[in-house]
Amino acid sequence: MPSNHSYYMDIEKNKNEDSMKTLLSKLNHRLVKIRLGGGTKKINKHQGRGKLTARERINYLVDEGDDWLEIGAFAGYGMYEEYGGCPAGGVVVALGHVSKKLCVIVANDATVKAGAWFPITGKKNLRAQEIAMENRIPIIYLVDSAGVFLPLQDEIFPDKEHFGRIFRNNAKMSAAGIPQIAAIMGSCVAGGAYLPIMSDESLIVDGTGSIFLAGPYLVKAAIGEEVDKETLGGATTQTEISGVCDYKVENDEICLDTIKGLVDKMGSFENAGFNRAEPIEPKYPAKEIYQLKPYTTTQQYSMTDILERIVDGSKLTYYKKGFGKTMICAYARIDGWSVGIVANDRKVVKSATGEMQFGGVIYSDSADKATRFILNCNQKKIPLVFLHDVTGFMVGSRSEHGGIIKDGAKMVNAVSNSTVPKFSIIVGNSYGAGNYAMCGKAYDPRLIVAWPTAKIAVMGGSQAAKVLLQIQVSSLKAKGEVLSDEDQKKMFEKIKNKYDTQTTPYYAASRLWVDAIIDPAKTRDWISRGIEMANHAPVERFNVGVIQT
C-alpha cells in the first residue's frame, strides 16, 4: 500500500496535469481559430485568385521539415471587436530556415481586412524588424496589404513607434548590411509602398501584385486622370517601365522559389561564438512538467524539478546553491547550447540565519546572488535564460532596513546592462519589480514567451483589489459616505475580476508583451532556436555601470 503522502502527491500531480492539459486545449482551440484569419469564405476567395494564404506562403518558403516558430500569433486577440477583430494582427511573423539560413518572415494576411494595418499590426511589424536587427538575420517581407486601416489612422500614423518607424528601420538595416527581401504578392499602396522599395531587393507577382503611392480612385480624385491598376502600378509597369521592382514573377510559387535562390547565395556574418556541444535529451520527459507545475498560482513547488525536464541530461551546475535559496542560478546546456539559468524557486526554505523564506519572493541575498551570476555569464559570454515565477521583492521593515531596494537595484542594473542575449520564460507569476529584475519585456529579452499558467501584472488580482478597495472606501469615508459590507464585497469582486482578466497570458500576448504563449513541453525548442538566432550577432563588450556593493 502506498503511503498517505505519496497518495496525496499522486493526486496533486494528476490535478496539475489535468489543469495544464485543459489550458493547452483552450490554447490550441484559439490558435486554430486565429489561423483561419478572415475566415473560410475569405480564404476561398483569396485562393480563387490563384494566391496562397499568408501561412501557405510561409510553409512553402521555409525548408522542408522546418518547424518554424510563430511570433505574435495572439497579437490583437480580443481587440478591435467593433471592427470585426484583427486575428494575429493581420500579419503572420515566422522565425524559420530558408535555404538553411535562419530568417524572419513577415507575411501580410490579406484575408483580414485586405491586410490593412491596425495599430497592433504596426507594433508587430516593428517587433519582427527588432528581432532581425538585434540578431543580424535576414528579413523577408511577403507584402499583400491595402495600407493603413483609416478609421484608426491617428493610432498608427504619426508617432515614433508607428507606421513610419518601419521605413526608418528599413534604412537602418540596409546600412547595417542586414539583408531585406520584399515580395509584392498583392496590393501595396500609399505609404506601405516604401517598405518593399526600401528593402535591398524586390519581387512582384504578375497579375496579382501592384504597387503605387495612390490607387486609381485617388488618382482620379486628385488629378482627374483615369487609369487602371495594372497600367498604374502592375508588374510590367514597375519592372519594365519604372524599374521600381527587380524581379517580375509569374505566380506565388515562382516568387517564393526565387526568394529561396536569393537567400541561398547570401554569405555569412561573423557569429557570436556561443558554446555548443552535442545535444542530449533530458533524463525525464518534458511532458512531466504538466504534473509538476501546480494548478494554483500560490502553491509551492520545486523549480529544480522543472529545470531537470528542460536541460540536457537533466544536469545543472549550481552557483551559490546554499545561499539566496529562493533564486536558482545554474549553468547548464539546452539542446547543446551553454546557458546561465536564473529562476525563481517556489519552495519555502530556511536561510543560514534560520529565517523562513517564501518561494517566489526575491530577498536581498537572492538578488545579490543573481547579480553576481549575471555578471559572470556576461564575462564568459554565456546566454542567460530567466524563468519567472515571482511575486516581487520582500517587503516589510526588516527587508527595508536590510537594504532591499539597493540589492534589487543592483540586480536590475546587471540585467539592464547585460550584453549577452537574454531569454525569458514566464512560467507562473511575474509581478511588480520582480518582472523587471527577471528580465521582463522592458529589458530587451531576445525572445519572451509565456506558459498558459502565466500571470503578468503589478500584483495579483486579490491583492490589487484589496488595495484599491481600501483606497475607495477611505475616499468615500472622507466625504461622509459609508459602504455596507455587501457593497464592499461587490466592489471587491468587480475590481478583482477586471484585474484577473488583465493578468492573463492572452491579455499580454494580444498586446505583444510576450512573443508567444507556448506549450511548456516546447520550452527547449524556443530557447534553442533563440540562441541559434542570437549567435548571428557578435556580443558587445560588457559595461555594468555603477553597482554598489
Side-chain angles (χ1 to χ4, degrees):
M1 288 289 291
S3 68
N4 288 337
H5 176 71
S6 63
Y7 176 75
Y8 170 77
M9 291 303 295
D10 287 342
I11 291 292
E12 287 300 297
K13 284 182 177 181
N14 289 339
K15 286 182 179 179
N16 293 342
E17 185 172 14
D18 289 346
S19 175
M20 183 66 80
K21 285 182 174 179
T22 299
L23 291 172
L24 288 172
S25 177
K26 183 184 293 185
L27 171 68
N28 290 327
H29 176 75
R30 290 174 174 175
L31 283 171
V32 167
K33 189 173 180 181
I34 285 169
R35 286 167 181 162
L36 286 174
T40 305
K41 287 184 179 178
K42 293 281 182 68
I43 289 173
N44 291 339
K45 184 178 178 181
H46 183 87
Q47 292 172 331
R49 298 179 60 201
K51 298 167 70 175
L52 300 174
T53 66
R55 285 186 170 80
E56 285 173 341
R57 286 167 176 166
I58 293 170
N59 284 330
Y60 188 98
L61 182 61
V62 299
D63 296 342
E64 186 176 353
D66 186 63
D67 189 13
W68 57 272
L69 302 181
E70 183 169 356
I71 305 293
F74 282 96
Y77 182 77
M79 300 165 67
Y80 314 115
E81 296 298 334
E82 66 271 36
Y83 301 107
C86 186
V91 62
V92 184
V93 174
L95 189 60
H97 293 91
V98 178
S99 299
K100 299 182 180 179
K101 289 183 175 62
L102 190 58
C103 300
V104 178
I105 305 164
V106 182
N108 297 114
D109 187 348
T111 70
V112 179
K113 294 289 188 296
W117 289 60
F118 284 69
I120 197 66
T121 317
K123 187 173 183 179
K124 187 170 175 179
N125 274 266
L126 289 171
R127 175 61 180 142
Q129 290 183 321
E130 180 182 47
I131 290 171
M133 292 168 80
E134 283 185 331
N135 301 288
R136 292 187 65 84
I137 57 176
I139 184 167
I140 299 166
Y141 309 98
L142 307 180
V143 183
D144 196 342
S145 171
V148 167
F149 186 63
L150 292 178
L152 296 173
Q153 65 86 25
D154 62 318
E155 297 180 39
I156 181 145
F157 170 66
D159 211 344
K160 181 179 179 180
E161 300 302 329
H162 284 178
F163 195 58
R165 187 77 171 182
I166 291 163
F167 315 135
R168 176 263 189 193
N169 287 350
N170 286 142
K172 288 287 187 181
M173 279 190 279
S174 184
I178 300 168
Q180 300 174 85
I181 297 173
I184 301 158
M185 308 183 79
S187 296
C188 185
V189 64
Y194 287 106
L195 184 148
I197 308 311
M198 291 191 73
S199 298
D200 302 308
E201 293 183 281
S202 62
L203 305 88
I204 185 167
V205 178
D206 194 19
T208 54
S210 60
I211 178 170
F212 31 63
L213 292 182
Y217 294 119
L218 184 54
V219 168
K220 184 175 182 181
I223 63 173
E225 180 186 359
E226 291 193 17
V227 60
D228 64 82
K229 187 168 72 170
E230 279 298 310
T231 302
L232 184 64
T236 299
T237 295
Q238 300 293 25
T239 58
E240 298 178 16
I241 298 174
S242 70
V244 164
C245 297
D246 304 312
Y247 306 93
K248 175 182 173 182
V249 289
E250 295 173 27
N251 54 44
D252 280 14
E253 288 84 355
I254 293 174
C255 179
L256 297 169
D257 285 334
T258 305
I259 293 172
K260 292 179 188 182
L262 293 173
V263 175
D264 180 59
K265 309 301 186 300
M266 290 180 183
S268 299
F269 292 111
E270 175 191 359
N271 64 31
F274 300 130
N275 185 294
R276 192 178 195 188
E278 188 68 28
I280 301 172
E281 287 296 314
K283 288 182 180 178
Y284 310 105
K287 288 190 175 181
E288 285 185 2
I289 292 172
Y290 302 167
Q291 300 176 354
L292 299 170
K293 176 66 183 76
Y295 57 93
T296 66
T297 59
T298 56
Q299 194 172 338
Q300 299 290 299
Y301 66 95
S302 169
M303 182 64 82
T304 297
D305 290 343
I306 286 175
L307 291 173
E308 288 177 346
R309 273 80 186 164
I310 295 173
V311 304
D312 287 18
S314 303
K315 184 179 180 182
L316 296 130
T317 302
Y318 295 97
Y319 175 80
K320 293 184 181 288
K321 187 175 183 179
F323 179 75
K325 295 178 184 177
T326 64
M327 188 77 76
I328 295 171
C329 295
Y331 299 106
R333 290 190 183 275
I334 294 178
D335 197 32
W337 295 105
S338 169
V339 297
I341 294 171
V342 181
N344 306 112
D345 205 356
R346 285 302 307 265
K347 295 182 298 186
V348 176
V349 297
K350 185 182 289 187
S351 71
T353 59
E355 176 191 6
M356 296 306 296
Q357 295 183 334
F358 298 98
V361 179
I362 302 176
Y363 293 80
S364 284
D365 56 356
S366 47
D368 179 76
K369 167 180 167 177
T371 300
R372 295 175 187 276
F373 183 72
I374 290 166
L375 300 181
N376 286 348
C377 287
N378 272 272
Q379 185 184 46
K380 295 187 280 190
K381 202 157 70 172
I382 299 174
L384 286 159
V385 176
F386 294 82
L387 284 91
H388 302 216
D389 198 343
V390 58
T391 53
F393 286 87
M394 190 59 188
V395 297
S397 59
R398 184 172 182 176
S399 292
E400 296 294 354
H401 296 170
I404 187 68
I405 295 174
K406 182 181 72 173
D407 291 321
K410 289 191 293 185
M411 184 174 174
V412 171
N413 191 320
V415 172
S416 301
N417 285 295
S418 179
T419 57
V420 294
K422 306 180 292 270
F423 303 90
S424 285
I425 316 295
I426 304 179
V427 170
N429 302 322
S430 188
Y431 290 158
N435 172 275
Y436 301 160
M438 293 297 293
C439 193
K441 177 70 173 179
Y443 292 81
D444 298 323
R446 297 293 178 95
L447 290 174
I448 178 169
V449 297
W451 289 3
T453 46
K455 299 281 184 184
I456 305 167
V458 173
M459 61 183 76
S462 294
Q463 298 94 318
K466 287 175 184 176
V467 171
L468 291 170
L469 180 62
Q470 288 175 19
I471 293 170
Q472 292 195 28
V473 168
S474 297
S475 177
L476 290 169
K477 189 176 181 180
K479 297 175 184 177
E481 300 177 38
V482 179
L483 283 179
S484 67
D485 290 344
E486 184 63 26
D487 287 340
Q488 286 190 39
K489 185 178 180 181
K490 287 180 180 178
M491 186 178 287
F492 174 84
E493 288 300 323
K494 182 179 179 181
I495 297 169
K496 182 180 180 299
N497 289 339
K498 180 182 178 181
Y499 217 86
D500 284 344
T501 299
Q502 293 178 348
T503 63
T504 67
Y506 295 100
Y507 193 88
S510 69
R511 288 153 180 81
L512 290 172
W513 301 344
V514 297
D515 292 316
I517 305 172
I518 69 166
D519 181 341
K522 301 283 188 182
T523 302
R524 270 174 64 87
D525 299 338
W526 276 84
I527 295 171
S528 178
R529 181 63 60 88
I531 300 175
E532 178 195 351
M533 169 184 79
N535 197 41
H536 288 78
V539 174
E540 296 177 6
R541 190 171 69 87
F542 180 57
N543 290 309
V544 71
V546 177
I547 289 189
Q548 296 177 323
T549 57

